[in-house]
Amino acid sequence: MLADVNTTNIASAIRLGCRTMCSVFNADDDDVPFFGSQVWPDAFLSFSTSASEAHVPGRHLNALLNAEDVLGLKVNEGCIDRHARAAFLAYSGALPLPLNRDRIGGPLVHFYPHNVREGFHALYALARFRDSAPAVELAERSIRAIQKLWHPHNGWDKERIESKFELHSTTFIIGLARAIGPLAKLHRHTGCPGALELALELADKATSEFYLPSGAYDRETFGPHTHSTTCVMSSLAQLADLTRNASLMERVRAFYDNGLNDIRDQLGWVIESSDDGRDPDRGEVNNTGDVVETALLLGKWGYPHYFEDAERILRCHLLPSQLRDTSFIREPANPHNEDGRRDVADRHLGAFGFPAPYGHKTLDAQRISFNMDIVGGSVGSLCEVYRQAVDTTPAGHYVHLHFDRETEAVAVESPYTHRHMRVRAKRPGPLFVRLPSWVETEVISVDGLDDPPRLHNGYLVLSQPPINRWITIRFDLTERDIVLSHRTREIKVRLRGDSVAAMSNFGAELTFFPALEA
């Protein structure tokens, strides 16, 4: 089951993830998508009283419709319609908030502020990519309701909400703060003023009480659900980029460089829960996607070493962790003909879940699961990677990440899939190619240029590259050893460039990489 990330390019990972997201509708629940999943020791898909209709559709619509946009593919419209129908179902209660049922066929009775982010992601995606007036109108009503029902110092109006629903409140970071990102997107693409107003109010609380100048992580105040910590970090970066707020972006950078290291390792694996006693190797891949999205924005703001971090994370953890071999999944007995027990292996092909750095099954695993919301989070992040890996700005053409990629202005052949890195400018303009920190600049050779390049801020700058002629940039993918320090063990890794050549796996099953011999 070893991953071949060199042939797992970003576009194919996105396409396969889209296939997964279009296969998870529960025929026994009017096609509301499943949330829960498990593939070992037994296999099934399941309904959730906290996430099926209020959570999964937002993650999936954001990912599916972004995938259409970046790849030009056409997602089955029935898949989009069913996710949209489930999202609107969640908002069909007495208050315009994303709600959940207590059982299949039951009423909407649960309100988890945790799901406000996913609700807005559904409405944003439908507004932006389907020009949905009902989604815009509902988003505006929901924002007004939140502004009446929530106060930055007093929290939720519990009495008013609980007269209608059960309020499942938690820390601010695990709850409403998560919505900053989709609110920023909603304002960017629809101009909704209430979205920006609420995003700024939430960000003020987040930076005054949680994401402090020190950049420290405090589990007790943030809460142990680490995906909330990473998605709020990414959300603050999106808002900073939208509003061109350098001080807010510096606050994000402080956390990225400091507190984030309490819950991640050097390859971008992030522990699923920071609670004591949890499986020390169990990660969660959409956490990793949030780290990548944040790194892309920090790189865009002039710190190219964050692009290097993003590339290493993608090659060493995010892409290898996609489920591409389901042969180990045993189809369950299904005496009652339940949809959640049909074609379980095939419906998981392309999923993302809770891996260790070394494989799908942690050493202490009691189960292996790929909860279906995580597919959406991971694919949404890969869409941002696809957008930003190669970019054209007024300053010129930028190659930030070394994946095979072609845009209208630039073509790139990766040194990981070809003998050497090659770039081809298709339009006039300077060409900036990021050089990793492990490359010895004095041994780089460049063929195909009339004038020698120069180095500037971590980039090889080709001031006047020839049009439609390949330029070869030669450098070795340096091998080096690092150690990942997890809570109960050290994991040795041999890197080749920014990919894994081998890794300690302690005899684990379902691993991603060749074993690193002791």
Side-chain angles (χ1 to χ4, degrees):
M1 155 158 277
L2 299 182
D4 184 0
V5 73
N6 290 337
T7 58
T8 306
N9 64 44
I10 296 165
S12 72
I14 292 172
R15 289 189 178 94
L16 191 56
C18 289
R19 176 191 184 277
T20 310
M21 289 184 280
C22 288
S23 72
V24 297
F25 301 105
N26 185 356
D28 299 328
D29 187 20
D30 196 26
D31 284 338
V32 173
F34 291 108
F35 169 80
S37 92
Q38 182 171 296
V39 296
W40 178 87
D42 52 345
F44 57 81
L45 294 161
S46 60
F47 167 79
S48 168
T49 60
S50 64
S52 285
E53 55 269 27
H55 194 87
V56 177
R59 293 273 189 94
H60 286 193
L61 287 167
N62 179 56
L64 290 164
L65 295 177
N66 267 286
E68 280 194 339
D69 183 61
V70 299
L71 295 183
L73 60 82
K74 184 62 179 173
V75 175
N76 179 279
E77 200 61 31
C79 172
I80 302 300
D81 288 345
R82 282 177 281 179
H83 278 305
R85 187 154 48 87
F88 282 111
L89 167 66
Y91 277 99
S92 64
L95 293 172
L97 300 170
L99 305 169
N100 282 99
R101 298 163 294 162
D102 60 349
R103 65 189 185 280
I104 291 175
L108 294 164
V109 294
H110 298 293
F111 173 48
Y112 291 84
H114 181 89
N115 293 333
V116 173
R117 172 184 186 259
E118 279 65 31
F120 281 132
H121 258 141
L123 301 179
Y124 143 75
L126 291 169
R128 177 183 177 186
F129 299 110
R130 288 296 185 269
D131 196 27
S132 170
V136 173
E137 187 273 334
L138 180 53
E140 291 173 346
R141 283 199 294 119
S142 186
I143 289 167
R144 290 194 297 270
I146 292 168
Q147 289 171 327
K148 292 178 181 178
L149 293 167
W150 178 85
H151 186 276
H153 300 299
N154 302 327
W156 291 97
D157 186 339
K158 186 174 181 179
E159 182 177 349
R160 184 173 173 189
I161 292 173
E162 292 203 329
S163 68
K164 302 177 184 298
F165 311 106
E166 184 176 355
L167 171 64
H168 300 266
S169 195
T170 183
T171 71
F172 175 65
I173 298 302
I174 296 178
L176 190 56
R178 295 161 46 90
I180 295 169
L183 287 168
K185 293 175 186 175
L186 191 64
H187 177 75
R188 183 190 291 272
H189 295 288
T190 70
C192 174
L196 180 60
E197 181 181 343
L198 181 56
L200 292 173
E201 186 172 31
L202 299 177
D204 285 346
K205 182 175 177 66
T207 52
S208 64
E209 300 179 29
F210 301 90
Y211 295 83
L212 303 177
S214 67
Y217 169 72
D218 180 75
R219 184 184 68 185
E220 300 309 313
T221 57
F222 280 70
H225 184 255
T226 55
H227 177 238
S228 294
T229 294
T230 60
C231 80
V232 176
M233 173 187 69
S234 172
S235 290
L236 291 171
Q238 293 169 50
L239 182 62
D241 186 58
L242 171 68
T243 58
R244 310 309 296 167
N245 186 332
S247 63
L248 179 56
M249 191 64 83
E250 281 300 304
R251 193 66 67 88
V252 171
R253 192 160 81 100
F255 185 80
Y256 192 105
D257 290 347
N258 295 285
L260 182 62
N261 292 320
D262 291 352
I263 56 175
R264 66 163 284 189
D265 69 15
Q266 300 97 303
L267 304 186
W269 169 95
V270 181
I271 196 165
E272 184 228 353
S273 171
S274 60
D275 261 339
D276 294 333
R278 300 300 286 265
D279 186 335
D281 293 348
R282 181 178 167 91
E284 185 172 338
V285 185
N286 51 196
N287 306 18
T288 297
D290 290 323
V291 176
V292 168
E293 289 191 51
T294 307
L296 294 176
L297 287 170
L298 290 169
K300 173 184 172 182
W301 274 58
Y303 304 101
H305 64 280
Y306 293 103
F307 284 124
E308 182 172 332
D309 198 29
E311 176 128 14
R312 186 173 60 254
I313 292 168
L314 288 160
R315 292 187 178 280
C316 296
H317 189 61
L318 201 159
L319 287 170
S321 73
Q322 186 175 37
L323 184 61
R324 288 178 168 249
D325 179 358
T326 61
S327 59
F328 70 96
I329 302 174
R330 296 182 178 180
E331 291 296 334
N334 194 7
H336 302 295
N337 197 26
E338 300 170 53
D339 192 42
R341 293 178 176 270
R342 292 190 200 113
D343 303 319
V344 178
D346 185 64
R347 292 162 90 173
H348 275 84
L349 184 65
F352 293 91
F354 302 94
Y358 44 80
H360 291 300
K361 185 179 180 184
T362 71
L363 292 175
D364 301 323
Q366 302 299 310
R367 58 193 289 261
I368 302 174
S369 58
F370 292 84
N371 286 358
M372 287 302 157
D373 64 321
I374 298 176
V375 188
S378 303
V379 170
S381 296
L382 288 174
C383 289
E384 292 306 316
V385 171
Y386 196 83
R387 280 194 180 97
Q388 299 181 53
V390 177
D391 193 20
T392 295
T393 77
H397 312 300
Y398 285 82
V399 178
H400 297 307
L401 303 178
H402 296 179
F403 288 87
D404 293 325
R405 180 77 171 93
E406 185 165 359
T407 70
E408 294 179 351
V410 180
V412 180
E413 289 184 352
S414 169
Y416 295 88
T417 54
H418 300 79
R419 287 187 62 192
H420 303 288
M421 184 174 193
R422 297 205 305 167
V423 294
R424 176 167 57 91
K426 298 159 67 176
R427 292 180 178 177
L431 185 58
F432 298 76
V433 180
R434 182 183 59 81
L435 292 178
S437 62
W438 40 263
V439 171
E440 297 180 14
T441 55
E442 62 272 13
V443 300
I444 294 173
S445 66
V446 181
D447 296 337
L449 278 181
D450 298 326
D451 299 310
R454 67 169 61 235
L455 292 172
H456 176 71
N457 192 33
Y459 287 82
L460 193 68
V461 183
L462 292 59
S463 299
Q464 292 182 298
I467 304 302
N468 285 320
R469 191 169 81 195
W470 285 107
I471 300 163
T472 302
I473 304 171
R474 291 185 174 86
F475 56 83
D476 292 331
L477 297 177
T478 305
E479 286 201 356
R480 60 208 189 276
D481 290 350
I482 64 172
V483 176
L484 311 179
S485 296
H486 284 226
R487 292 184 175 188
T488 59
R489 63 181 57 87
E490 291 188 339
I491 303 171
K492 297 179 181 178
V493 182
R494 178 155 299 146
L495 294 175
R496 176 177 174 267
D498 281 314
S499 65
V500 174
M503 180 183 289
S504 302
N505 62 34
F506 314 99
E509 300 175 301
L510 309 177
T511 54
F512 302 143
F513 312 109
L516 181 61
E517 301 299 331

